[in-house]
Amino acid sequence: MQTVLFDRDLSWLSFNYRVLLMAADPKVPLYERVRFLSIFSSNLDEFSRVRLPALLALHQLKAEAEPAVLPAVQREISRQLGVFGEIFTQQLLPALRNEDIHLYHNEPLQPAHHAAVRDYFYTTAMGFLQPVFIRLEQPVEMFLENNALYLVVSFENDEHAIVNVPSHALPRFLALPDQHIIFLDDVIRHFLPQLFPSRKVTGCYSIKVTRDAEIDVDEFSGHLLQKVENMLVRRELGLPTRFLYDASMPDTLRDRLAAYFRIAPQEMVAGGRYHHLRDLADLPMPVRNPAFTYPKQVPARIQALEAADCLLDTVMKQDVLLHVPYQHYDYILRYFNEAAIDPDVREIYVTLYRVASGSQIVNALISAAKNGKQVTVMVELKARFDEANNVRWAKRMKEAGVKILYSIPGLKVHAKVALVKRRRGYRYEHIGLMATGNFNESTARFYTDHVLLTAHAGMTQELELLFIYMQTGLPPARYQFMQFTHLLVAQFNLVDRFTALIRREAEHARAGQPARIVIKLNNLQEKQMIAELYAAADAGVEITLIVRSICCLVPRKGIRVRRIVDRFLEHARVFIFHNKGEEEIFMGSADWMNRNLHRRIEVCFPIYHPQYRREVKDIIALQLADNTNAVILDSQIVNIPVEKQPGEEDVNAQQAIQAYVHTL
């Protein structure tokens, strides 16, 4: 029987639309609503760079086996952009004005601001401008940079020029007196006559090109580090996937520009006057009002760890489970810092996928190497859009004496694990760290994740086995002798174990026993795992899913799917199998996507400690009780707000978890 699935791209767009609707929610603080517009725009830019190229290629090939997804995707993007414009112009701009904050939006410059704008144009902006006259009847004469902003200027006598908007070098917004704000684009627009003094401007329209980011490093020869550096250069020269233009542009000019820049019709997208609105995240706040942003939340401290002289000693006695950002990330930094200076620590192993630009963790690893410890770091150079940062840190660590392992051929290392080996007499203590999110103290402020610190002999020994494997780089098939009993490791046992756990629940249901599965993921797309869930639901298993982003599973009898979009980005992966009341609980790095299960090294780990098992179940229960920001995904891929029952109190999961964690 064919497995019925949602299209992954339409599912992702459904998620991004939920992000967009947060900007329309009056319960969300004003500047946070503006920030959600920025997140929506940033997400859509990445979608255009990563997913649209594949859809365009399939469309051009007219592959009969593929449904006509591209037109549906383009219609949905167009619809969402219309909603974006309505929220921005009809809701947020008036809301800002009600707070005496005025963002210029396609309107004349007030005389009181002319001097300030004129001074900024001549002393700052003008030095970054590169006006270029173009002949639309000639072959292409210039290259439009990826995601850069440009103004197409029309003159009398059918002349045209293109002017860059240097938002990469200058702030996108200029704060003016009387709590007014103006786009950099409009600063340039107001002074086009001065930029082209001998010509009469008849029109000005914004454009932006997004280019394909999916370039395979295997195209390049040589060492992987050099391959990635070459790929970074090539990426910015990728083929166009989206040509965003001002919808007020005359059709004739639009078509001539498309021909001039060799843009296919399906790559043309009508937009508003302003593009690249991810920059709204940097909108100045001339009125400092605490009500404009989320109230500051102080992460909880763990008293036992605060009182401990040595975190590593504490972990040797008992596991530690952290829930960030509700609890302090400082304990993770302390794990690496203590390992770096402890004279008895001899070896440190860690995987790095996305690293903070000023990473304290990497600096601790560099210090450890300089302190004479053997430090081995698997740096994933193919972490999309973080490649340059990872290359930079890899070079710095290597210069300091850190042993750097680069990506395994054909695989990405997405696991978030570390291992410290400490000498005690004639033996070694193993202290492991396993997480659902990256070792990144920057994103840890707004990504919800779980981190386990453990000295469990079985888990830490299996972690050491995994690091031995990663140092060889040989295919997993050469390591069938590796037996992972506690850890679930993609390429070895992860898919088989999850499949067995689902089927066991189905067997319990068929035997008339209670059978339940609760799974929280970022993305659910892998066809075989979805088929297993369908079969389990058909057998009578009660399945509840919390899926933030892509969900290709179609909800049906026995399977409920909900989505939570709120202040923090829900990032943790949690798996709970009822097992006749003896639950098995796992966490880890692996979403159920083709790439995660079949083309990556992932690690999921069990939660054994009774207290932490209770905490995990309590946190998941609060997320399942959310009736303010949670939505139910229906069979038409629509987000349906959770209905609050009569007399039921409001439950916001993230606020409730924050309060709960402070009681632990």
Side-chain angles (χ1 to χ4, degrees):
M1 182 185 298
Q2 185 177 11
T3 302
V4 179
L5 301 171
F6 285 137
D7 175 75
R8 74 168 273 176
D9 296 302
L10 291 173
S11 175
W12 182 89
L13 289 170
S14 169
F15 152 70
N16 206 34
Y17 186 60
R18 179 71 191 98
V19 173
L20 176 59
L21 291 184
M22 290 294 288
D25 188 345
K27 300 190 299 296
V28 176
L30 178 57
Y31 264 70
E32 303 295 348
R33 292 172 66 185
V34 174
R35 187 175 66 88
F36 276 111
L37 283 186
S38 167
I39 295 170
F40 169 87
S41 182
S42 177
N43 288 346
L44 194 55
D45 277 348
E46 183 171 336
F47 180 85
S48 298
R49 297 199 71 189
V50 175
R51 291 300 304 167
L52 273 186
L55 295 176
L56 288 166
L58 286 173
H59 184 79
Q60 291 167 358
L61 290 172
K62 302 184 186 305
E64 295 181 1
E66 294 291 335
V69 174
L70 180 63
V73 165
Q74 291 176 322
R75 285 193 300 271
E76 180 59 17
I77 290 175
S78 179
R79 184 188 74 84
Q80 292 185 14
L81 288 175
V83 175
F84 180 104
E86 190 276 332
I87 294 173
F88 184 41
T89 60
Q90 303 303 314
Q91 298 183 36
L92 291 182
L93 290 180
L96 288 167
R97 285 195 291 270
N98 288 339
E99 300 292 342
D100 293 324
I101 300 171
H102 190 112
L103 175 61
Y104 276 103
H105 188 274
N106 194 17
E107 55 194 289
L109 188 65
Q110 295 180 18
H113 301 136
H114 188 274
V117 175
R118 181 180 186 276
D119 180 66
Y120 186 79
F121 176 79
Y122 280 114
T123 61
T124 304
M126 196 174 188
F128 291 90
L129 301 184
Q130 300 158 5
V132 177
F133 284 93
I134 59 174
R135 299 176 180 84
L136 293 179
E137 70 280 1
Q138 298 291 330
V140 64
E141 299 170 335
M142 70 173 296
F143 178 83
L144 298 180
E145 295 182 9
N146 173 63
N147 272 344
L149 300 173
Y150 297 91
L151 299 176
V152 177
V153 186
S154 299
F155 309 101
E156 288 184 326
N157 303 321
D158 199 31
E159 288 187 303
H160 301 88
I162 291 183
V163 182
N164 63 308
V165 178
S167 60
H168 63 288
L170 298 174
R172 184 71 186 282
F173 302 99
L174 174 64
L176 299 170
D178 306 321
Q179 297 167 186
H180 280 63
I181 304 166
I182 189 170
F183 279 91
L184 176 62
D185 323 26
D186 284 341
V187 171
I188 299 169
R189 288 174 187 267
H190 282 297
F191 288 91
L192 286 175
Q194 285 72 29
L195 200 60
F196 302 100
S198 62
R199 288 170 171 80
K200 181 179 179 180
V201 176
T202 59
C204 181
Y205 314 96
S206 57
I207 61 171
K208 183 179 88 166
V209 168
T210 303
R211 298 187 176 277
D212 183 0
E214 285 292 88
I215 297 178
D216 189 350
V217 295
D218 291 335
E219 296 177 14
F220 304 97
S221 60
H223 190 274
L224 181 61
L225 185 65
Q226 186 61 50
K227 287 184 179 184
V228 172
E229 291 179 321
N230 291 341
M231 179 272 291
L232 291 173
V233 175
R234 279 273 299 273
R235 172 182 284 166
E236 298 308 308
L237 306 177
L239 294 173
T241 60
R242 180 180 62 167
F243 185 88
L244 193 59
Y245 63 92
D246 187 335
S248 68
M249 178 186 295
D251 292 348
T252 53
L253 177 57
R254 178 201 63 199
D255 295 340
R256 292 176 70 188
L257 285 171
Y260 181 77
F261 288 112
R262 300 188 178 95
I263 304 295
Q266 61 268 23
E267 296 163 357
M268 304 288 288
V269 178
R273 177 181 174 90
Y274 307 97
H275 305 323
H276 210 62
L277 289 178
R278 62 192 302 170
D279 292 337
L280 284 169
D282 300 319
L283 185 72
M285 190 186 300
V287 178
R288 294 290 171 180
N289 185 334
F292 288 174
T293 58
Y294 286 120
K296 184 177 181 181
Q297 292 195 3
V298 179
R301 295 281 183 183
I302 301 174
Q303 293 307 313
L305 299 184
E306 293 294 311
D309 292 330
C310 178
L311 174 69
L312 299 180
D313 287 344
T314 301
V315 177
M316 284 301 303
K317 298 173 185 175
Q318 179 179 316
D319 288 357
V320 173
L321 182 65
L322 302 175
H323 314 294
V324 295
Y326 307 109
Q327 291 173 317
H328 259 288
Y329 197 77
D330 292 358
Y331 305 117
I332 308 305
L333 304 180
R334 186 174 168 185
Y335 170 88
F336 288 102
N337 289 339
E338 284 190 10
I341 64 171
D342 187 329
D344 292 327
V345 169
R346 303 300 173 87
E347 300 173 34
I348 303 173
Y349 301 86
V350 63
T351 60
L352 295 179
Y353 191 76
R354 298 191 191 277
V355 188
S357 57
S359 176
Q360 298 176 57
I361 291 173
V362 174
N363 279 312
L365 296 172
I366 289 172
S367 295
K370 290 182 177 180
N371 288 339
K373 304 179 191 309
Q374 179 182 317
V375 182
T376 303
V377 180
M378 164 60 77
V379 180
E380 181 48 73
L381 295 182
K382 296 175 291 189
R384 185 188 295 134
F385 301 131
D386 275 302
E387 299 97 342
N389 187 53
N390 287 4
V391 165
R392 178 174 64 87
W393 277 121
K395 289 180 176 180
R396 283 194 57 185
M397 285 188 286
K398 191 170 185 178
E399 289 170 358
V402 175
K403 180 180 179 181
I404 300 296
L405 309 175
Y406 294 125
S407 310
I408 298 169
L411 295 174
K412 279 186 180 181
V413 177
H414 191 250
K416 290 83 169 69
V417 294
L419 180 65
V420 168
K421 294 178 66 175
R422 186 169 65 171
R423 186 72 177 265
R424 281 289 186 264
Y426 294 102
R427 62 185 180 85
Y428 277 99
E429 296 175 339
H430 293 65
I431 305 162
L433 188 158
M434 293 169 281
T436 66
N438 299 303
F439 298 137
N440 185 318
E441 57 269 32
S442 296
T443 58
R445 296 195 303 269
F446 54 92
Y447 279 34
T448 70
D449 276 303
H450 305 285
V451 186
L452 178 68
L453 301 169
T454 184
H456 184 281
M459 283 194 274
T460 55
Q461 288 170 9
E462 291 178 10
L463 266 184
E464 186 170 26
L465 271 180
L466 180 60
F467 278 108
I468 290 171
Y469 159 69
M470 286 191 285
Q471 291 181 74
T472 68
L474 294 175
R478 299 283 296 274
Y479 286 88
Q480 294 305 314
F481 65 88
M482 283 192 174
Q483 297 297 317
F484 293 101
T485 302
H486 300 277
L487 303 184
L488 279 56
V489 182
Q491 310 307 314
F492 293 93
N493 68 335
L494 185 145
V495 172
D496 290 343
R497 284 289 301 279
F498 275 137
T499 300
L501 289 166
I502 295 171
R503 291 179 178 178
R504 184 180 65 188
E505 292 299 320
E507 290 173 4
H508 292 161
R510 282 190 284 266
Q513 298 167 328
R516 290 190 293 276
I517 297 172
V518 179
I519 296 175
K520 180 183 177 185
L521 295 163
N522 294 316
N523 301 291
L524 173 58
Q525 174 248 344
E526 206 271 348
K527 186 175 180 179
Q528 186 55 43
M529 299 309 295
I530 292 175
E532 293 290 345
L533 292 174
Y534 284 160
D538 291 343
V541 180
E542 178 187 328
I543 299 174
T544 304
L545 306 175
I546 305 173
V547 185
R548 171 174 57 84
S549 184
I550 296 168
C551 180
C552 294
L553 176 145
V554 180
R556 57 196 286 182
K557 182 180 179 181
I559 307 179
R560 295 174 296 168
V561 182
R562 65 169 47 208
R563 170 178 283 153
I564 298 175
V565 175
D566 203 344
R567 173 180 185 170
F568 302 127
L569 185 141
E570 295 291 341
H571 191 250
R573 294 89 167 179
V574 180
F575 311 87
I576 304 175
F577 300 90
H578 182 257
N579 191 28
K580 296 192 292 188
E582 299 293 328
E583 289 115 330
E584 290 199 47
I585 301 176
F586 295 87
M587 296 175 168
S589 61
D591 283 320
W592 284 3
M593 300 279 285
N594 288 332
R595 65 193 184 200
N596 299 90
L597 300 185
H598 305 298
R599 298 194 299 275
R600 291 185 176 183
I601 298 295
E602 305 274 9
V603 172
C604 291
F605 48 93
I607 303 299
Y608 291 140
H609 194 288
Q611 174 185 333
Y612 299 141
R613 293 165 62 82
R614 191 161 53 249
E615 290 178 13
V616 172
K617 291 192 292 183
D618 288 346
I619 288 172
I620 291 295
L622 289 172
Q623 292 174 335
L624 295 178
D626 189 304
N627 57 17
T628 59
N629 277 357
V631 296
I632 301 296
L633 196 65
D634 74 1
S635 60
Q636 302 301 311
I637 210 167
V638 175
N639 299 292
I640 307 297
V642 173
E643 288 189 20
K644 190 169 63 171
Q645 301 303 313
E648 187 179 48
E649 294 184 359
D650 287 349
V651 178
N652 178 287
Q654 294 189 352
Q655 293 176 12
I657 293 169
Q658 178 75 17
Y660 169 78
V661 164
H662 275 271
T663 69
L664 297 177

